[in-house]
């Protein structure tokens, strides 16, 4: 944990290319006050070299959400994840602590998968084993018992920084990164009413094929409060960005903030997702401990680059985002797959809970069906010679 992580990847990946240098120079020259110059250059969405740069400079130095504590609830549990292309294992050791370990075997570099419950981490190539804290525990045919003991003292899987935030597990490859919590401080007041009841996760399934667009297209769509009344006709009208005397409100961005947060009013309190989209007759019951404002409004929080939240009167719905290429993004939530809900135990215990989940999934998929074509259009247009400049 204390040892610096040495970057041994090929120099071609570690070195900044002329393409990246040109794009960074173009970004630096943009006039942020000009509406037409607020877009990032097209190459930031289309150039594989820029994607590699982001992996190194953004995803390797930022807190990345990889899942929830419920997915590693008991000692011996393991969750496989990926951060900046690095395979990672989140483990819970017998003392109850969580660990973020590199999944790269320290013998010859094979990738170690999560084991069956109760088994140690075991490399599939020569069966070296590691405990849940990453220490080598066995190395078959590697010499005498003393030889193996000496190896066990020396060898362990590199451990990465891990921080919990309201049950979300975040990992950072940068040993010197600033702590996560302060960058999300403005969201704290929104959690109080949920946590007075207590929430449990129904984790999302991750999409098994990547969505064919850049991760920034994905999060820009999420945080664009302008499009719902045009793209989401029939599914989002209940929670409009424009309403007489009311409408969307963005919170202020302060230095060090890493959350873009907005809220929209609902036409009647305690609405939520139903099978047709947002509506008054929400499939999950409202959470009584929320303050009045959170019964009236839905809050959308974008925590770039790996997590989005929708804080509704009845649930916190979340999406995990994992970029896989310049136009390839895995995502998991009720929009894309299923799940991604934090719910009170009283909701999960309802006899018709599965039917309610299906309704929410159907509503989410209807909204998503409207987003897919516009996201495809936004990604395709990045290759156009007529794209607005800057
Ligand atoms: S590479 Fe893992 S045991 Fe040999
Ligand atoms: Fe949308």
């Amino acid at each position: 944990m204390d040892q610096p992580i040495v970057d041994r990847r090929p120099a071609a990946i570690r070195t900044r290319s002329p393409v990246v240098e040109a794009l960074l120079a173009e970004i630096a020259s943009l006039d942020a006050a000009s509406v037409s110059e607020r877009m990032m250059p097209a190459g930031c969405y289309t150039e594989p070299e820029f994607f590699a740069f982001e992996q190194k400079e953004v995803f390797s130095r930022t807190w990345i959400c990889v899942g929830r504590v419920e997915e590693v609830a008991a000692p011996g549990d393991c969750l496989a994840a990926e951060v900046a292309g690095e395979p990672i294992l989140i483990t819970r050791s017998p003392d109850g602590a969580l660990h973020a370990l590199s999944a790269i075997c320290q013998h010859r570099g094979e990738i170690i998968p999560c084991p069956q419950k109760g088994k140690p981490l075991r490399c599939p190539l020569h069966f070296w084993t590691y405990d849940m804290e990453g220490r080598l525990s066995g190395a078959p045919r590697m010499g005498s018992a003393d030889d193996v003991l000496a190896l066990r003292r020396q060898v362990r899987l590199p451990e990465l920084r891990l921080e919990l935030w309201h049950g979300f597990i975040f990992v950072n490859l940068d040993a010197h990164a600033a702590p996560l919590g302060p960058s999300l401080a403005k969201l704290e007041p929104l959690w109080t009413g949920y946590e007075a009841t207590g929430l449990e996760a129904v984790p999302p399934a991750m999409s098994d094929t990547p969505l064919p667009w850049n991760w920034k297209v994905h999060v820009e769509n999420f945080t664009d409060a302008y499009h719902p009344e045009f793209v989401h006709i029939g599914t989002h009208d209940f929670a409009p960005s424009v309403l007489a005397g009311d409408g969307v409100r963005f919170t202020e961005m302060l230095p060090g903030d890493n959350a873009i947060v907005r809220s929209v009013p609902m036409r009647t309190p305690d609405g939520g997702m139903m099978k047709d989209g947002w509506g008054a007759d929400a499939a999950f019951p409202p959470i009584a401990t929320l303050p009045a404002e959170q019964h009236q409004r839905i809050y959308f929080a974008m925590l770039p680059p790996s997590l989005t939240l929708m804080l509704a009167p009845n649930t916190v719905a979340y999406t995990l985002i994992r970029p896989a290429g310049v136009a390839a993004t895995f995502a998991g939530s009720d929009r894309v797959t299923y799940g991604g809900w934090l719910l009170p135990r009283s909701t999960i215990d309802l006899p018709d809970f599965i039917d309610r989940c299906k309704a929410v999934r159907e509503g989410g998929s209807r909204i998503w069906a409207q987003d897919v074509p516009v996201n495809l259009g936004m990604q395709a247009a990045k290759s156009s010679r007529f794209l607005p400049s800057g």
Side-chain angles (χ1 to χ4, degrees):
M1 183 75 185
D2 297 319
Q3 291 169 348
I5 297 168
V6 180
D7 193 344
R8 297 195 184 89
R9 293 169 304 158
I13 294 176
R14 288 187 278 114
T15 314
R16 214 177 261 183
S17 75
V19 171
V20 171
E21 293 292 357
L23 285 167
L24 294 179
E26 192 175 341
I27 291 168
S29 73
L30 296 179
D31 176 2
S34 156
V35 170
S36 65
E37 293 197 8
R38 282 187 201 158
M39 277 167 46
M40 292 181 80
C44 300
Y45 301 78
T46 57
E47 293 289 352
E49 287 162 82
F50 194 81
F51 181 76
F53 162 76
E54 287 178 328
Q55 290 282 290
K56 179 177 166 235
E57 299 292 344
V58 178
F59 288 85
S60 302
R61 300 170 65 180
T62 308
W63 290 98
I64 303 294
C65 184
V66 295
R68 288 281 310 177
V69 285
E70 290 88 343
E71 296 174 88
V72 275
D77 284 354
C78 176
L79 172 67
E82 193 186 294
V83 174
E86 292 283 356
I88 304 290
L89 301 172
I90 306 297
T91 61
R92 196 178 285 277
S93 52
D95 63 358
L98 282 175
H99 303 271
L101 306 171
S102 164
I104 302 298
C105 179
Q106 296 299 293
H107 177 219
R108 296 195 61 207
E110 181 58 271
I111 296 174
I112 302 171
C114 274
Q116 286 178 341
K117 179 93 175 160
K119 304 276 189 197
L121 304 171
R122 188 176 77 177
C123 177
L125 191 52
H126 311 105
F127 282 16
W128 281 27
T129 51
Y130 300 83
D131 67 20
M132 288 289 153
E133 292 178 49
R135 290 181 297 236
L136 185 71
S137 54
R141 299 195 190 156
M142 287 299 289
S144 67
D146 283 350
D147 293 337
V148 173
L149 199 57
L151 266 181
R152 287 175 59 181
R153 287 200 193 100
Q154 289 166 24
V155 176
R156 62 178 305 149
L157 299 175
E159 184 159 7
L160 313 169
R161 287 183 68 194
L162 179 152
E163 199 171 311
L164 288 182
W165 183 75
H166 298 283
F168 289 99
I169 301 168
F170 284 79
V171 173
N172 201 320
L173 294 180
D174 182 354
H176 305 293
L180 168 73
S183 70
L184 304 177
K186 70 170 154 189
L187 286 163
E188 288 307 316
L190 294 174
W191 282 107
T192 308
Y194 294 110
E195 292 184 336
T197 291
L199 299 179
E200 294 176 40
V202 178
M206 207 62 157
S207 54
D208 51 13
T209 51
L211 305 162
W213 49 71
N214 186 271
W215 68 275
K216 297 187 294 299
V217 167
H218 196 98
V219 294
E220 285 166 5
N221 175 275
F222 175 85
T223 221
D224 176 353
Y226 190 8
H227 81 281
E229 68 178 301
F230 312 109
V231 171
H232 296 305
I233 293 168
T235 60
H236 214 301
D237 317 323
F238 178 77
S241 292
V242 181
L243 190 65
D246 203 346
V248 64
R249 290 183 212 147
F250 278 88
T251 58
E252 196 182 357
M253 284 300 282
L254 298 172
D257 271 358
N258 194 35
I260 298 174
V261 182
R262 75 177 187 279
S263 67
V264 293
M266 286 176 286
R267 293 191 186 276
T268 57
D270 285 336
M273 194 59 69
M274 31 186 252
K275 76 175 179 43
D276 302 320
W278 296 109
D281 191 14
F284 295 141
I287 296 170
T289 49
L290 289 173
E293 176 95 341
Q294 286 179 262
H295 288 279
Q296 305 273 0
R297 304 180 73 83
I298 304 172
Y299 289 76
F300 297 77
M302 193 254 271
L303 283 56
S306 61
L307 181 66
T308 63
L309 305 173
M310 282 184 286
L311 299 102
N314 55 0
T315 184
V316 177
Y318 67 96
T319 298
L320 288 178
I321 299 157
R322 181 159 62 77
V326 68
T329 303
F330 289 100
S333 69
D334 59 26
R335 295 289 186 278
V336 190
T337 49
Y338 180 89
W341 305 304
L342 307 185
L343 294 163
R345 174 48 49 189
S346 57
T347 298
I348 295 172
D349 285 343
L350 288 169
D352 59 349
F353 177 59
I354 295 299
D355 291 336
R356 291 168 186 261
C357 290
K358 285 181 184 161
V360 172
R361 165 70 183 126
E362 187 174 338
S365 67
R366 285 185 192 215
I367 291 180
W368 188 240
Q370 295 166 324
D371 276 322
V372 167
V374 293
N375 283 354
L376 290 170
M378 285 298 281
Q379 182 67 39
K382 302 296 184 195
S383 301
S384 167
R385 72 201 68 194
F386 301 117
L387 191 72
S389 66

